Amino acid sequence: MNSVDASEHYELNATELAPSLLTVILDTNPHAWATLENSLPLTKAVANILVFINAHLACNYANEVAVVASHTTKATWLYPVHDEDPTKALADGDGDITMNGQDGTGSQTNKYRPFRVVEERVTQRLKELMDTTSSEDLRGNTSTMLAGALTLALSNINRRTIAWAEKHGGADLEDAAGDTGGGGSGPAGGTGPGRYSAASDDERLQSRILIVSVSGSSDSAHQYIPVMNGIFACQRLHIPIDVCKLSGDAVFLQQACDATKGVYMALSEPRGLLQYLMMAFLPDQRSRKHLVLPTRVDVDFRAACFCHRRVVDIGYVCSICLSIFCEPPPDNECLTCGTPLDIGDFGSKPALIPRKKKKKKRANGTSTVGTPMSTGTPTPGPG
């Protein structure tokens, strides 16, 4: 054929980019949402998040989504529900599949089925979660289970990435968590075992986590160690953590975005939640390479002490396990590894480095300090 038309023909393999998996961690702390009742109720926030999820699914027909609720007593799945029959929620009393929606009014007939399934599952599971929360649960705990939600998100990402790699032959999380250093058949060649290359980004399932938070850092200080472990796992697996902060301060979440190269935004006006979600958090990792992302330069890198789980500025650090204490531990022994600590004569407070005294500035080359007056007879001038 080439000799007939004097042209060369090549076989082009059409390779599609791997889809994106978006995991939304919704903070459902009733204590924190009560403070936002006048500006942004939970029902309106969920409606805005569902529109954002639909936009993510509309970007690519193969995109996936998962929603986790970080509640006061537990972290649970809102979508997908792994322990439930997929046709149970869409079946009527006779067991037949309902085609016109759960209310039977036909209002759901023209809605795109993936949108409808996600909306029904999330709203139903969220309603069940709120109905099963008793007043005793709210009195006993005012924090949110962020560490458990991160663990559920990472486990689902790992499962979906492995399934995608087995089905399409792409890279899995082990390739992403491989050695990023040079030498040999490292990242440049991408042939070594457990190696990570830039090409593996397009081969494996693109995963990211979005945290919609309303609780303060003091509420999750007791989860400092498991939360940081989840952050380090996301950093190693190249999974960015995005944070949309609606209220309160978030010391640990700022560190999560900084370590994983995610987007952190604290909304001054929670009523514009949908606009922030669509403009700042909708682009995936590939699109963000061509965009100017909002960044923070004033990241709070404070840590929580291991003894009282309080966020501290200055504390004692164990030289063996790097545990942090706000005050000398009992018997001067590390509570984590049991190593004897040499506290010294610092007393009950950590030692502070004294500041150097600043020299007074000179005005017109002369010191501002008063010059002693001469008691001698002044010398008469000429003339």
Side-chain angles (χ1 to χ4, degrees):
M1 187 64 184
N2 294 343
S3 59
V4 174
D5 56 4
S7 62
E8 296 181 356
H9 298 268
Y10 302 92
E11 294 183 0
L12 300 179
N13 295 327
T15 58
E16 296 183 359
L17 296 178
S20 176
L21 170 60
L22 171 64
T23 304
V24 179
I25 297 179
L26 177 60
D27 186 359
T28 57
N29 187 357
H31 297 279
W33 281 107
T35 61
L36 296 175
E37 185 65 27
N38 297 329
S39 58
L40 182 66
L42 178 59
T43 54
K44 291 185 178 180
V46 172
N48 293 337
I49 293 174
L50 289 175
V51 174
F52 167 71
I53 290 176
N54 293 343
H56 168 75
L57 296 176
C59 292
N60 190 342
Y61 72 95
N63 280 357
E64 301 180 12
V65 68
V67 184
V68 184
S70 177
H71 205 53
T72 55
T73 56
K74 61 180 179 179
T76 182
W77 285 104
L78 298 181
Y79 180 85
V81 184
H82 303 285
D83 56 349
E84 184 180 76
D85 187 2
T87 61
K88 180 179 179 181
L90 302 178
D92 54 13
D94 299 332
D96 298 330
I97 303 300
T98 57
M99 302 301 295
N100 296 332
Q102 294 180 352
D103 53 357
T105 58
S107 60
Q108 304 286 338
T109 54
N110 295 327
K111 183 175 291 187
Y112 185 46
R113 187 177 184 278
F115 297 169
R116 178 172 59 87
V117 171
V118 174
E119 178 181 345
E120 291 177 355
R121 294 291 194 280
V122 171
T123 54
Q124 178 185 3
R125 294 286 296 181
L126 186 59
K127 183 178 182 301
E128 294 176 357
L129 178 63
M130 293 301 179
D131 292 341
T132 55
T133 303
S134 61
S135 57
E136 289 76 10
D137 297 335
L138 298 180
R139 296 193 194 99
N141 190 7
T142 60
S143 62
T144 179
M145 298 300 174
L146 180 60
L150 276 175
T151 304
L152 290 178
L154 285 172
S155 62
N156 181 70
I157 289 174
N158 181 58
R159 183 176 62 86
R160 293 303 305 151
T161 304
I162 293 176
W164 171 265
E166 292 177 351
K167 184 177 181 180
H168 300 83
D172 54 11
L173 285 178
E174 292 182 358
D175 297 331
D179 187 10
T180 57
S185 58
T191 58
R195 296 288 182 176
Y196 172 77
S197 61
S200 63
D201 275 341
D202 296 334
E203 296 175 357
R204 68 185 182 92
L205 184 67
Q206 297 290 305
S207 303
R208 55 194 174 102
I209 298 176
L210 171 62
I211 302 177
V212 181
S213 175
V214 293
S215 302
S217 59
S218 58
D219 297 333
S220 58
H222 63 283
Q223 308 176 53
Y224 173 73
I225 298 177
V227 167
M228 294 306 297
N229 288 338
I231 294 173
F232 294 148
C234 293
Q235 183 183 20
R236 179 175 175 79
L237 299 175
H238 304 276
I239 300 175
I241 298 178
D242 302 332
V243 176
C244 181
K245 192 63 178 174
L246 299 180
S247 65
D249 56 339
V251 177
F252 311 137
L253 297 183
Q254 292 181 15
Q255 300 176 17
C257 296
D258 182 75
T260 60
K261 298 181 180 179
V263 178
Y264 179 88
M265 295 195 70
L267 308 189
S268 57
E269 182 56 49
R271 294 179 181 176
L273 174 62
L274 181 59
Q275 287 78 4
Y276 285 101
L277 292 176
M278 299 294 289
M279 301 304 296
F281 300 103
L282 183 60
D284 56 1
Q285 291 93 309
R286 300 189 191 94
S287 302
R288 293 181 182 185
K289 297 178 181 179
H290 310 283
L291 300 175
V292 179
L293 301 178
T295 57
R296 289 184 63 91
V297 295
D298 54 342
V299 180
D300 194 347
F301 290 102
R302 291 183 300 170
C305 65
F306 285 36
C307 49
H308 300 91
R309 300 296 188 265
R310 293 185 300 217
V311 180
V312 296
D313 297 326
I314 301 175
Y316 299 92
V317 180
C318 176
S319 59
I320 304 300
C321 63
L322 302 181
S323 299
I324 304 172
F325 305 101
C326 61
E327 59 186 24
D331 300 330
N332 293 340
E333 291 185 358
C334 179
L335 300 179
T336 304
C337 62
T339 303
L341 304 178
D342 187 9
I343 301 298
D345 298 331
F346 298 146
S348 60
K349 295 183 180 180
L352 299 178
I353 301 176
R355 296 182 179 179
K356 295 182 179 180
K357 296 182 179 180
K358 296 182 179 180
K359 295 182 179 180
K360 295 183 178 181
K361 297 181 180 180
R362 295 177 176 270
N364 298 327
T366 60
S367 175
T368 56
V369 181
T371 305
M373 298 295 296
S374 176
T375 57
T377 306
T379 304

